[in-house]
Amino acid sequence: MSKDTKINDMLENNRIEPFTLIHDVIVNWWVILLAALAAAIFAYVGVSVTYEPDYTTSATFAITSKLDVGSYSSLSTANEMAGTFQKIIESSAMNKILCEELGVDSIDAEIKSNVIQDTNLLELSVTSSSPRVAYDTIHAIMDNYTKVSYFSLGNAVMEPLNKPQIPMSPSNPLNAQRVMKLAFLAAAVLLAGLFAVLSFFRDTIKQEREVELKLDASSLGELPYEPKIKTLKELLSRKKKAMLVNQPLAGFSFVESYRKFVSRIEYKMAKRDSKVLLVSSVSENEGKSTVAANIAISLAQRQKKILIIDGDLRRPSQFLILGVQPEEGKELSEFLTDGTHSEDLVMKTHVNNLFFIGGRNSYSTSSDILKSENLQKMYKLINTCKKLVDYVIIDSPPAGTIGDAELLARCADEVLLVVRQNFILAEDINDVMDTLRNTGCHVLGVVLNRVISFENLTAQTVGRYSYSRYTQYGKDRGKANE
């Protein structure tokens, strides 16, 4: 495949998602700021080093006639005089006179003449890098132009109206502040545009439609981003908590997205007669633990008996998400290593029909805990539990960082991969799925998490519904369908 063909395919498959572009630009704000500041500093230094001041002095003449005072008052006559006078100034005869008068080999000055609009006034200006040269040159012209223009001006008379002055300040002042501002803005815009282009061509999953285009898996839907902080009190307290579908302030679109998503999971698992679902991701901070908890809660609210197992022994989080307090000596890791009785592991949660197995202690040697005989114990535990509940949900560590997910996948029927919007390269996601498939476990599909788009943003501003109202809405609609 040629390079042009690859680029065309990429352009065809990648559609611009404004929020991902804006996000990638904002994330790199410090790079843009530093580069813009550097550009402003370099611009200031460059302008300061190359700056050469120019000094301009001028004199004004009134164009009249020896024969008729009004004959040269027309604009056309004044314009003709300006052209004639400019030729006189630029003539070799005038240049020779000026050089002799000033005692130089060449005139280091720019000499111009022009008619002031709608008048018979002609302005003569001289610009030079030296104020004294500008002043001496214009005086030399005024003293000697009649010697050269005797026949050229004919009956025209040029009467000086003012005396030129020595210029005290440059006519092209150094405006370093303006140059710095322009350089700063230009660099900022250029860098922002560059990051936007890089974001567009970065091979991540930005929209749900890209899941099946770029990944070797089916899409189970997308879950919109839902802000965790809903009130000023929560903002001030700075408490970090997961957004769950049974919380009163959960947005309607957020809850509805999970309802559809979990329905797809239930349907696909029923087709394969699967009961154990492992939820994982490629990397940290993709939201797989929150997704696992919400799947369990959603299924429990459908009157299914659910067991959720926190298999992330390095960084357990389900006890915080679900609000349970595992007792010492009754944690999953202790069962695997010390032989704790399995019946002591199961804990009730605040959600009806939802049970929990896990712990709160972290173990850096989690991979060693899950090897050999301990993994067999885990397998037997899950087989026992799935006879007592409808579904077992396993929250595993990220599959792209450590091998725990690969080990736990051997105990599961299905694997769900949570992919955060515009976060991980498609190639890395496919590699992780291939690794999980090598364990013999079936990849159920991929869900795109924390999706931000114009559509989702509009939906979130429509209003908030308490979960009880949402549940009642679902029940009413179910009765109507019956």
Side-chain angles (χ1 to χ4, degrees):
M1 185 182 292
S2 66
K3 185 177 180 180
D4 292 339
T5 304
K6 289 182 179 180
I7 294 175
N8 290 333
D9 289 342
M10 186 177 293
L11 291 173
E12 184 177 349
N13 292 335
N14 287 5
R15 292 180 182 174
I16 293 178
E17 174 53 58
F19 274 100
T20 59
L21 296 183
I22 294 171
H23 172 269
D24 287 348
V25 171
I26 293 176
V27 165
N28 294 286
W29 67 268
W30 61 276
V31 179
I32 297 173
L33 178 61
L34 290 178
L37 288 173
I41 293 172
F42 281 122
Y44 175 79
V45 173
V47 169
S48 300
V49 170
T50 59
Y51 172 67
E52 293 184 1
D54 290 330
Y55 297 88
T56 301
T57 185
S58 61
T60 305
F61 297 86
I63 303 174
T64 58
S65 174
K66 298 177 183 178
L67 302 177
D68 186 2
V69 175
S71 61
Y72 282 96
S73 61
S74 67
L75 295 177
S76 59
T77 304
N79 286 327
E80 290 176 5
M81 275 302 307
T84 302
F85 191 63
Q86 186 68 35
K87 291 178 181 178
I88 294 171
I89 295 171
E90 295 173 352
S91 66
S92 57
M94 188 62 170
N95 185 69
K96 184 178 180 181
I97 293 173
L98 293 178
C99 289
E100 292 177 354
E101 183 80 15
L102 300 174
V104 295
D105 296 330
S106 62
I107 303 299
D108 183 21
E110 182 182 7
I111 306 169
K112 291 183 179 179
S113 64
N114 65 284
V115 173
I116 299 176
Q117 189 175 5
D118 298 330
T119 68
N120 65 327
L121 301 179
L122 184 143
E123 185 179 50
L124 172 66
S125 63
V126 177
T127 302
S128 177
S129 57
S130 167
R132 189 70 201 183
V133 170
Y135 178 76
D136 291 343
T137 301
I138 197 170
H139 263 286
I141 294 172
M142 295 177 68
D143 293 341
N144 297 281
Y145 78 90
T146 53
K147 298 178 182 178
V148 179
S149 61
Y150 182 78
F151 297 103
S152 301
L153 297 180
N155 294 324
V157 177
M158 296 178 59
E159 298 179 359
L161 299 180
N162 64 322
K163 292 182 179 180
Q165 303 293 326
I166 296 178
M168 303 304 295
S169 60
S171 55
N172 62 332
L174 175 62
N175 195 346
Q177 189 176 12
R178 180 174 180 272
V179 173
M180 290 178 67
K181 287 180 180 179
L182 290 176
F184 181 90
L185 290 175
V189 171
L190 182 63
L191 263 294
L194 176 61
F195 280 119
V197 171
L198 292 176
S199 173
F200 177 77
F201 285 103
R202 188 166 175 255
D203 194 24
T204 55
I205 310 301
K206 303 177 181 69
Q207 305 172 62
E208 184 188 354
R209 61 177 294 274
E210 295 179 352
V211 171
E212 297 187 3
L213 284 172
K214 297 181 178 181
L215 304 182
D216 186 18
S218 60
S219 172
L220 294 176
E222 66 176 27
L223 303 173
Y225 170 76
E226 183 78 1
K228 296 179 181 180
I229 298 175
K230 300 288 186 178
T231 63
L232 180 60
K233 183 178 179 180
E234 292 176 349
L235 178 63
L236 296 176
S237 64
R238 296 183 179 179
K239 289 183 178 180
K240 294 183 179 181
K241 63 178 183 179
M243 178 52 63
L244 303 177
V245 292
N246 62 344
Q247 291 178 353
L249 293 179
F252 180 79
S253 62
F254 177 76
V255 177
E256 182 70 9
S257 296
Y258 264 100
R259 185 191 67 79
K260 295 177 181 178
F261 164 55
V262 172
S263 294
R264 294 190 187 104
I265 291 177
E266 197 172 9
Y267 172 75
K268 282 181 170 282
M269 291 186 70
K271 282 183 66 176
R272 293 176 49 85
D273 196 25
S274 301
K275 297 189 69 174
V276 183
L277 175 67
L278 182 134
V279 180
S280 187
S281 61
V282 176
S283 176
E284 295 180 351
N285 300 317
E286 294 196 70
K288 53 93 184 168
S289 294
T290 302
V291 171
N294 278 322
I295 293 172
I297 292 171
S298 299
L299 288 171
Q301 289 178 332
R302 299 184 184 196
Q303 305 307 313
K304 304 290 184 180
K305 190 173 289 187
I306 308 299
L307 172 67
I308 183 167
I309 299 176
D310 193 343
D312 192 346
L313 303 181
R314 285 177 181 256
R315 298 185 64 181
S317 59
Q318 288 297 337
F319 76 97
L320 293 172
I321 295 173
L322 298 174
V324 295
Q325 296 297 327
E327 297 180 16
E328 292 292 338
K330 296 183 179 181
E331 295 194 0
L332 176 62
S333 57
E334 293 167 338
F335 164 75
L336 295 176
T337 57
D338 301 334
T340 304
H341 294 296
S342 58
E343 57 268 20
D344 295 333
L345 296 176
V346 181
M347 288 173 281
K348 290 184 178 180
T349 68
H350 299 296
V351 180
N352 291 334
N353 301 316
L354 178 58
F355 302 90
F356 169 76
I357 290 178
R360 59 187 303 170
N361 295 320
S362 301
Y363 297 88
S364 58
T365 58
S366 59
S367 297
D368 295 332
I369 294 176
L370 291 172
K371 284 183 179 179
S372 61
E373 298 87 3
N374 293 341
L375 187 63
Q376 287 298 321
K377 291 176 69 175
M378 172 71 84
Y379 182 75
K380 291 178 181 179
L381 173 66
I382 293 173
N383 275 341
T384 301
C385 290
K386 74 178 184 180
K387 296 175 184 177
L388 304 175
V389 297
D390 294 302
Y391 294 103
V392 177
I393 310 297
I394 305 174
D395 177 17
S396 84
T401 54
I402 55 177
D404 293 12
E406 185 180 349
L407 296 172
L408 290 171
R410 298 172 185 176
C411 304
D413 302 323
E414 308 284 350
V415 172
L416 168 70
L417 206 64
V418 178
V419 174
R420 181 174 171 180
Q421 182 189 33
N422 193 35
F423 196 67
I424 301 294
L425 295 178
E427 181 182 2
D428 295 335
I429 299 171
N430 282 321
D431 289 343
V432 165
M433 286 193 292
D434 290 340
T435 301
L436 293 172
R437 287 190 178 101
N438 290 336
T439 65
C441 187
H442 179 256
V443 176
L444 188 70
V446 170
V447 62
L448 190 61
N449 193 33
R450 299 190 65 172
V451 176
I452 302 179
S453 64
F454 282 116
E455 182 180 354
N456 291 341
L457 185 66
T458 305
Q460 287 182 1
T461 58
V462 170
R464 300 287 178 182
Y465 294 82
S466 68
Y467 192 79
S468 59
R469 289 178 61 187
Y470 169 78
T471 307
Q472 186 62 43
Y473 158 76
K475 291 179 179 178
D476 293 343
R477 192 171 67 171
K479 292 178 181 178
N481 290 337
E482 292 176 0

